[in-house]
Amino acid sequence: MYFASDNSGPASSAVMTALIKANEGYRMGYGADTEMEEVRARIRAEFEAPDAAVYLVTTGTAANALALATLGQSWQTVFCTAPAHIQQDECNAPEFFTGGAKLTLVSPNAKMTTKELRSAIEAEGTRGVHGPQRGPVSITQVTEHGTVYSLNELQALSSVAKEYNLPVHLDGARFANALVALGCTPAEMTWKSGIDAVSFGGTKNGLMGVEAVIFFDPKHAWEFELRRKRGAHLLSKHRFLSAQMLAYLTDDLWRENARNANAHATTLATGLKQCGVELAYPQEANLVFPRMSRRIHNALLDAGAVYHLWGGSLESPSDEVITARCVCDWSTSKEAVQSFLELLKRVTIA
């Protein structure tokens, strides 16, 4: 009954096999390995972007921060939501790697609207040399609240950004989960919707630790390479990154893993609602946010369930309702979900 994070699960067996194979013999370093050539070709094919610049780093924070630094300038501001990972969970890495660009919070919600984005853009870049200049727009897909932007929503937000000649970055730590939820193609969810760069996540979906950064305009390639090296994120034994991503892209593993995670989250959400539990946000991918009393949380956690509270603590009063975050990853089993729901039924009856 482990639902704490999709960072906590194991790597896929195909990925581990690929790493063992990559350990044989010798390869050129720093991304000149033959596996990376294949990764680049496959990502370009998946995204229908033959000229895209494709790079690998080990963390989502590096992917986001280096991409935004490449798209923007130190005197600009990055537009994002208040719950965005780049705002809440990256220890000012975007500000650090951009050399001082600030973040402008467009919305208090996980999803920004076109009205909110336009208002935020209009409010910045108005003080000449005295204020921050308008910079990249960063959108998270899947959002931090587990919701998914539709293609129409992505296109509308990108259109607003383009009115002001601003580039658009997509934080796709859970890119695959959003893609299978929408039933669209990678191209449709990125450059065909106006996205200029994407952090294509793999760590949360079965990789040991690899994220791809994709620029659809190759003019950004050299600057990103320099920033990646200067930021200490160019690995010498790069083949071990390439091998993971290549396995991820082979036999549709990345989609299959995401389908499994999303399906179990749907089962979990359905079961919670059947038990009378309200969800704080719609379940649209692999995250579920149930709202339950402190008494129920304590009983579930004491019985071995593992998940995070989304605000609040386990101290009295027992009837206070607290939101939790439950995450299903690729390795979540049907048995784990059913055990959790059966435990919940016993707890609620008691």
Side-chain angles (χ1 to χ4, degrees), residues 2-11 203-204 308 329 331:
Y2 197 100
F3 303 101
S5 173
D6 40 10
N7 287 324
S8 302
T203 306
K204 293 182 185 295
H308 290 299
D329 82 321
S331 66

Side-chain angles (χ1 to χ4, degrees), residues 59-135:
T59 70
T61 296
N64 289 336
L66 290 168
L68 288 169
T70 303
L71 293 176
Q73 300 290 339
S74 59
W75 52 82
Q76 293 179 331
T77 187
V78 177
F79 297 95
C80 66
T81 63
H85 203 273
I86 61 172
Q87 159 67 11
Q88 293 274 21
D89 298 293
E90 296 187 354
C91 195
N92 294 4
E95 293 92 329
F96 176 77
F97 280 95
T98 58
K102 66 172 288 186
L103 303 184
T104 292
L105 306 184
V106 173
S107 172
N109 303 309
K111 266 190 179 183
M112 66 176 78
T113 66
T114 53
K115 182 178 179 181
E116 289 171 326
L117 178 58
R118 187 183 300 279
S119 177
I121 293 173
E122 287 287 346
E124 294 289 7
T126 60
R127 299 185 293 283
V129 73
H130 301 287
Q133 304 304 295
R134 297 162 178 163

Side-chain angles (χ1 to χ4, degrees), residues 66-210:
L66 290 168
L68 288 169
T70 303
L71 293 176
Q73 300 290 339
S74 59
W75 52 82
Q76 293 179 331
T77 187
V78 177
F79 297 95
C80 66
T81 63
H85 203 273
I86 61 172
Q87 159 67 11
Q88 293 274 21
D89 298 293
E90 296 187 354
C91 195
N92 294 4
E95 293 92 329
F96 176 77
F97 280 95
T98 58
K102 66 172 288 186
L103 303 184
T104 292
L105 306 184
V106 173
S107 172
N109 303 309
K111 266 190 179 183
M112 66 176 78
T113 66
T114 53
K115 182 178 179 181
E116 289 171 326
L117 178 58
R118 187 183 300 279
S119 177
I121 293 173
E122 287 287 346
E124 294 289 7
T126 60
R127 299 185 293 283
V129 73
H130 301 287
Q133 304 304 295
R134 297 162 178 163
V137 175
S138 184
I139 301 170
T140 308
Q141 178 79 316
V142 176
T143 75
E144 289 74 15
H145 291 168
T147 51
V148 177
Y149 286 97
S150 69
L151 295 183
N152 286 339
E153 288 173 322
L154 290 175
Q155 291 161 10
L157 290 169
S158 295
S159 293
V160 172
K162 301 308 180 190
E163 288 180 32
Y164 299 89
N165 296 314
L166 304 181
V168 183
H169 162 256
L170 190 73
D171 178 352
R174 297 184 175 93
F175 185 97
N177 302 95
L179 190 84
V180 299
L182 292 178
C184 65
T185 69
E188 288 170 338
M189 203 169 79
T190 55
W191 63 267
K192 288 185 178 181
S193 292
I195 305 299
D196 296 287
V198 58
S199 302
F200 175 53
T203 306
K204 293 182 185 295
N205 195 38
L207 297 188
M208 181 182 288
V210 182

Side-chain angles (χ1 to χ4, degrees), residues 1 39 63 144 156 172 222 242 289:
M1 299 185 293
V39 166
E144 289 74 15
W222 181 234
S242 306
F289 291 83

